[in-house]
């Protein structure tokens, strides 16, 4: 059994790590290598899932983030990761989906795969879905009626269709808006596959 100077028990397997963390907690100040100014540890961001703190202070880190976003804007790439961004948007497809489901990061890749499985087509009206323009996510069973955020209850639909459906059940929705959905399906059928592909690739930045 080992105890540190503060009378706190330290596991033999984690002795070195625990001592290191305690030393960090006991340090009141730190020098930022960017601005060479000694500042309190409270002026430094904590690293994710770790008691360690970032090398740069909050002010320098924020300034660097602003410069990065500004340069990515000039280059015309996603402001978050630097990848190709969607036309008319400041982010890529991945971060566009992240902005919709902010608290469900584990669903992001599943939602992107589902969008590709649907061939970027609205499940209700066959309208071409353009991320950042008219693509939205609908709960098949509305949240207000007990629907979950499970991937099996989520589909990609046109944003105008999503607004019409609101919290209606599918059966009631198709009954109330049958004529409008039929018209949207007809308009979607007029567009050739080549035209749809050209529009989609332009929005995805693949042209």
């Amino acid at each position: 059994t080992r105890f540190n100077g503060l009378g706190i028990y330290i596991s033999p397997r984690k002795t070195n790590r625990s001592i290191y963390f305690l030393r960090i907690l006991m340090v009141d100040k730190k020098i930022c290598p960017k601005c060479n100014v000694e500042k309190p540890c409270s002026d430094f961001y904590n690293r994710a899932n770790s008691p360690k703190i970032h090398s740069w202070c909050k002010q320098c880190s924020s300034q660097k983030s602003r410069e990065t976003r500004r340069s990515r804007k000039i280059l015309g790439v996603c402001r978050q990761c630097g990848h190709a961004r969607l036309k008319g948007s400041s982010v890529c497809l991945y971060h566009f989906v992240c902005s919709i489901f902010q608290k469900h990061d584990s669903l992001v890749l599943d939602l992107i795969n589902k969008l590709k499985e649907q061939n970027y087509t609205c499940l209700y009206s066959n309208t071409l879905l353009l991320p950042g323009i008219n693509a939205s996510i609908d709960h098949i069973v509305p949240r207000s009626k007990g629907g979950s955020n499970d991937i099996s209850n989520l589909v990609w639909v046109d944003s105008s269709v999503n607004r019409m459906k609101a919290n209606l059940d599918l059966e009631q929705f198709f009954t109330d808006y049958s004529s409008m959905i039929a018209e949207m399906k007809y308009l979607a059928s007029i567009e050739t596959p080549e035209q749809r592909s050209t529009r989609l690739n332009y929005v995805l930045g693949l042209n």
Side-chain angles (χ1 to χ4, degrees), residues 89-148:
S89 176
S90 60
V91 295
C92 62
L93 177 60
Y94 177 84
H95 286 101
F96 164 71
V97 180
C98 285
S99 66
I100 299 177
F101 267 59
Q102 296 178 352
K103 298 182 180 179
H104 304 274
D105 294 340
S106 59
L107 283 175
V108 172
L109 294 179
D110 291 335
L111 287 169
I112 292 176
N113 290 333
K114 172 156 282 194
L115 180 60
K116 294 177 180 178
E117 290 173 2
Q118 291 183 210
N119 198 25
Y120 292 88
T121 302
C122 174
L123 199 66
Y124 304 151
S125 66
N126 294 340
T127 304
L128 178 64
L129 297 179
L130 303 175
I133 298 178
N134 70 331
S136 64
I137 298 172
D138 176 57
H139 292 79
I140 299 175
V141 179
R143 292 287 304 278
S144 60
K145 297 183 179 180
S148 67

Side-chain angles (χ1 to χ4, degrees), residues 139-186:
H139 292 79
I140 299 175
V141 179
R143 292 287 304 278
S144 60
K145 297 183 179 180
S148 67
N149 279 324
D150 188 78
I151 190 65
S152 60
N153 191 47
L154 300 173
V155 291
W156 286 92
V157 298
D158 181 82
S159 56
S160 61
V161 174
N162 204 355
R163 286 192 293 270
M164 286 190 293
K165 182 176 179 292
N167 64 341
L168 298 176
D169 294 328
L170 279 181
E171 184 177 354
Q172 183 180 359
F173 167 67
F174 284 118
T175 300
D176 295 349
Y177 296 94
S178 58
S179 59
M180 191 170 295
I181 293 298
E183 182 180 353
M184 294 182 73
K185 285 184 176 181
Y186 171 73

Side-chain angles (χ1 to χ4, degrees), residues 1-18:
T1 303
R2 301 186 183 183
F3 291 86
N4 63 8
L6 300 176
I8 302 175
Y9 170 74
I10 300 177
S11 171
R13 292 185 179 181
K14 301 181 180 179
T15 301
N16 294 334
R17 185 180 177 186
S18 299

Side-chain angles (χ1 to χ4, degrees), residues 22-125:
L22 285 170
R23 285 177 179 173
I24 291 178
L25 294 174
M26 295 173 66
V27 173
D28 294 330
K29 294 184 179 181
K30 175 181 172 66
I31 298 178
C32 173
K34 176 67 175 176
C35 59
N36 293 321
V37 177
E38 186 178 42
K39 299 182 178 181
C41 286
S42 58
D43 285 352
F44 293 81
Y45 290 112
N46 290 329
R47 294 186 183 274
N49 301 320
S50 171
K52 295 182 181 179
I53 57 179
H54 283 277
S55 298
W56 290 7
C57 64
K58 292 180 180 180
Q59 183 177 356
C60 292
S61 297
S62 299
Q63 182 180 355
K64 176 63 176 178
S65 297
R66 287 193 297 271
E67 292 174 353
T68 301
R69 287 195 295 269
R70 192 179 301 115
S71 63
R72 287 174 176 172
K73 181 178 181 180
I74 295 174
L75 294 173
V77 296
C78 174
R79 66 181 181 184
Q80 299 289 344
C81 62
H83 292 153
R85 72 182 183 184
L86 302 171
K87 296 296 181 182
S89 176
S90 60
V91 295
C92 62
L93 177 60
Y94 177 84
H95 286 101
F96 164 71
V97 180
C98 285
S99 66
I100 299 177
F101 267 59
Q102 296 178 352
K103 298 182 180 179
H104 304 274
D105 294 340
S106 59
L107 283 175
V108 172
L109 294 179
D110 291 335
L111 287 169
I112 292 176
N113 290 333
K114 172 156 282 194
L115 180 60
K116 294 177 180 178
E117 290 173 2
Q118 291 183 210
N119 198 25
Y120 292 88
T121 302
C122 174
L123 199 66
Y124 304 151
S125 66

